[in-house]
Amino acid sequence: VNGQDYIALLPREEEAEEVFLYRFKELEDGEMELDNIEDDEEFEAVADVYDAMLDDMEFEDMMGADE
């Protein structure tokens, strides 16, 4: 979103319905840096993209099951 990378983290519990969204940056030394998304508008935009990605994956899974 707007040139920024993000990451979605899921809890280890299989039944968990929560998703944690963070800003993601890979540093020069190969380490990763995660930052909280504190702006509501930015968070909503990222959540919308994440939801759309899930919808696309579900659609692809359904279409693959029909073949």
Side-chain angles (χ1 to χ4, degrees):
V1 177
N2 296 331
Q4 174 67 51
D5 292 322
Y6 297 89
I7 191 167
L9 301 177
L10 305 169
R12 289 185 165 205
E13 299 87 28
E14 290 183 30
E15 299 296 319
E17 295 184 17
E18 294 178 300
V19 175
F20 300 96
L21 301 172
Y22 295 94
R23 276 192 218 106
F24 171 84
K25 182 169 35 171
E26 189 168 348
L27 304 175
E28 291 181 17
D29 61 3
E31 294 288 318
M32 293 184 291
E33 180 178 279
L34 301 179
D35 290 319
N36 289 324
I37 303 170
E38 296 181 13
D39 180 76
D40 290 339
E41 287 183 31
E42 178 184 9
F43 184 86
E44 288 298 322
V46 173
D48 288 346
V49 170
Y50 178 76
D51 288 340
M53 291 172 63
L54 286 181
D55 289 344
D56 288 347
M57 288 189 309
E58 287 178 18
F59 180 76
E60 289 173 8
D61 287 346
M62 287 186 338
M63 296 310 294
D66 290 342
E67 294 177 8

